């Protein structure tokens, strides 16, 4: 309190010497008290009611990503955005697709992208949907989860086919199918995908491709034959902006952003939002954000079904909300009610799809998927497949 008062007196000395000195102690005391009470009030209100954004809008202290793109990173951006000069010009009208194509994406690693994608897909399968999984992360985590849940020992890595100039009728023959799960398909990935996508990019950037690699997957997945084969397509993206990620975004109707509510993960959403802004108009103008799903929320007390956000998590939630509402010009994109708790029943089964083995995981992902489906239904996509 005394420090604050001292600073205020210094300020008065410098800028308000016209005020008689005898008033300074009372002015500084009152201002210090206002600052302290105001600060306390903000903390209390934000903890209780999540009012942080109200204060932020008053004082203009929006949390923004502190990661700045260095000049040289612009070059890559220019390459991705360059005139569509090669191969056929890609039409940019609104895609006429009946099957939602959803990319699970975040530039931050380990936030639960693959876990959410796999379990959402598993719930959709039990609702009768024909689900095509596309693993576009060379770590191959989704491929391993699906394979072990389907009792498969070995799978060829084949999602790179979606980056090549091939018709869907050809890719279709390579989709992995599984006994006992006729409605699931998988295009799998492994570390070799990294080399494949680098090669494809290098070729294209050097004008050596006969087709535009940014839209290879779009051409394949938007094929009416593919749309007829699948009710929903789920793409698991790696935490990087590579050829496969660009393809995923150009092909997708929606993105879902899983996020842990800590500062680095919230900042990553800010960075991702900037990437979207930079590329959207030219590459994926009709891509929608289906929602941000907070993941691995601490359970305290542990037996609560739907975990309560802690004040620190609420603060990050607000930062994420700011970042995505600025980019997508809409509110309500953070799906608070779809939040996924941090549960050992999920982490214990990280090498398979927890949904198939744990009742708790089933409940959690059923709720989250239900919220995503309501959003798709609002956009007139089909969301009940059993009839
Ligand atoms: N709700 C949860 N509760 C407990 N553990 C979880 C939960 N969600 C994910 N995990 C665990 O967190 C780890 C990271 O999850 P996951 O692989 O889905 O993240 P990711 O974002 O796909 O990571 P990467 O960026 O490496 O692809 C895994 O070990 C997973 O089992
Ligand atoms: Mg992953």
């Amino acid at each position: 309190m005394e420090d604050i008062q001292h600073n205020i007196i210094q300020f008065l000395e410098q800028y308000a010497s016209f005020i008689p000195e005898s008033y300074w102690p009372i002015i500084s005391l009152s201002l210090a008290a206002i600052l302290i009470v105001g600060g306390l009030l903000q903390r209390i209100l934000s903890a209780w009611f999540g009012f942080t954004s109200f204060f932020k809008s008053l004082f203009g202290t929006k949390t923004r990503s502190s990661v700045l793109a260095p000049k040289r990173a612009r070059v890559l951006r220019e390459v991705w955005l360059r005139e569509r000069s090669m191969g056929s010009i890609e039409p940019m009208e609104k895609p006429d697709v009946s099957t939602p194509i959803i990319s699970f994406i975040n530039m931050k690693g380990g936030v639960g992208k693959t876990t959410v994608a796999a379990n959402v897909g598993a719930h959709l399968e039990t609702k009768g949907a024909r689900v095509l999984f596309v693993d576009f992360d060379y770590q191959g985590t989704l491929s391993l989860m699906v394979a072990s849940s389907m009792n498969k020992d070995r799978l060829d890595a084949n999602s790179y086919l979606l980056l090549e100039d091939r018709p869907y009728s050809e890719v279709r023959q390579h989709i992995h199918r599984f006994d006992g799960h006729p409605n699931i398909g998988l295009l799998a990935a492994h570390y070799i995908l990294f080399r494949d996508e680098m090669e494809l990019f290098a070729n294209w950037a050097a004008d050596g491709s006969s087709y535009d690699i940014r839209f290879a997957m779009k051409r394949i997945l938007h094929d009416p034959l593919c749309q007829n084969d699948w009710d929903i397509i789920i793409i698991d993206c790696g935490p990087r902006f590579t050829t496969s990620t660009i393809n995923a975004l150009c092909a997708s109707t929606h993105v879902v952003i899983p996020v842990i509510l800590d500062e680095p993960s919230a900042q990553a959403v800010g960075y991702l939002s900037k990437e979207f802004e930079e590329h959207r108009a030219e590459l994926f103008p009709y891509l929608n954000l289906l929602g941000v799903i907070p993941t691995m929320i601490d359970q305290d007390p542990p037996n609560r079904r739907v975990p309560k956000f802690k004040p620190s998590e609420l603060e990050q939630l607000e930062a994420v909300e700011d970042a995505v509402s600025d980019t997508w010009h809409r509110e309500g994109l953070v799906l608070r009610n779809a939040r996924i708790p941090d549960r050992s029943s999920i982490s214990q089964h990280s090498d398979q799809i927890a949904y198939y083995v744990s009742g708790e995981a089933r409940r959690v992902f059923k709720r989250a998927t239900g919220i995503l489906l309501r959003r798709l239904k609002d956009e007139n996509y089909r969301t009940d497949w059993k009839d």
Side-chain angles (χ1 to χ4, degrees), residues 37 61 68 109 115 121 142 160 167 174 201 203 222-223 226 244 273 282 288 321 324 379:
V37 172
T61 54
L68 297 175
T115 304
L142 177 70
Y160 72 90
H174 297 271
F201 175 74
N203 247 338
H222 290 207
D223 182 325
C226 175
S244 37
S273 302
E282 291 182 57
N288 273 324
E321 253 156 11
V324 293
E379 293 181 29

Side-chain angles (χ1 to χ4, degrees), residues 131-371:
V131 182
L132 174 62
F133 285 114
V134 175
D135 193 348
F136 253 179
D137 182 355
Y138 58 68
Q139 296 180 91
T141 319
L142 177 70
S143 308
L144 290 173
M145 283 169 94
V146 175
S148 67
S149 291
M150 311 279 156
N151 298 317
K152 270 268 186 198
D153 289 342
R154 291 167 68 99
L155 286 176
D156 285 340
N158 54 6
S159 62
Y160 72 90
L161 294 170
L162 294 167
L163 302 175
E164 295 186 344
D165 192 18
R166 298 167 184 269
Y168 172 71
S169 56
E170 202 185 314
V171 175
R172 182 195 215 190
Q173 296 164 22
H174 297 271
I175 295 174
H176 297 294
R177 309 305 297 252
F178 307 97
D179 294 341
H181 293 267
N183 282 349
I184 295 257
L186 168 71
L187 286 159
H190 198 45
Y191 288 100
I192 193 72
L193 175 65
F194 176 66
R195 215 192 303 161
D196 284 334
E197 62 181 346
M198 282 293 280
E199 255 176 50
L200 286 166
F201 175 74
N203 247 338
W204 177 74
D207 288 1
S209 307
S210 58
Y211 67 102
D212 190 332
I213 51 150
R214 296 168 296 185
F215 302 100
M217 185 193 200
K218 179 178 173 184
R219 279 192 292 272
I220 297 169
L221 297 188
H222 290 207
D223 182 325
L225 192 60
C226 175
Q227 294 285 308
N228 211 28
D229 275 357
W230 304 103
D231 295 311
I232 199 141
I233 299 175
I234 289 182
I235 307 168
D236 183 32
C237 295
R240 49 199 98 80
F241 235 69
T242 54
T243 311
S244 37
T245 304
I246 290 280
N247 264 269
L249 296 176
C250 292
S252 291
T253 54
H254 299 86
V255 285
V256 167
I257 307 179
V259 65
I260 294 178
L261 294 176
D262 61 15
E263 200 169 338
S265 308
Q267 281 191 354
V269 177
Y271 178 68
L272 179 64
S273 302
K274 281 199 186 108
E275 291 282 346
F276 280 139
E277 260 167 36
E278 290 196 340
H279 296 88
R280 187 166 49 179
E282 291 182 57
L283 296 182
F284 33 82
Y286 298 103
L287 183 68
N288 273 324
L289 173 59
L290 196 55
V292 177
I293 298 191
T295 61
M296 294 186 237
I297 306 299
D298 255 355
Q299 294 270 90
D300 192 17
N303 54 357
R304 247 186 111 91
R305 270 218 172 160
V306 183
K308 217 172 159 210
F309 293 117
K310 294 193 181 64
S312 64
E313 289 172 334
L314 272 175
E315 203 173 306
Q316 298 310 325
L317 204 65
E318 307 264 340
V320 170
E321 253 156 11
D322 282 348
V324 293
S325 62
D326 278 2
T327 301
W328 302 89
H329 311 296
R330 268 179 60 198
E331 298 291 322
L333 290 169
V334 177
L335 309 178
R336 293 179 179 225
N337 291 333
R339 57 191 181 265
I340 312 285
D342 189 338
R343 302 302 288 169
S344 57
S345 58
I346 298 173
S347 55
Q348 268 166 12
H349 302 295
S350 61
D351 55 348
Q352 55 188 308
I353 302 178
Y355 187 93
Y356 292 125
V357 285
S358 148
E360 184 179 43
R362 251 193 308 282
R363 271 197 305 279
V364 165
F365 287 105
K366 185 176 172 193
R367 184 167 48 81
T369 311
I371 291 169

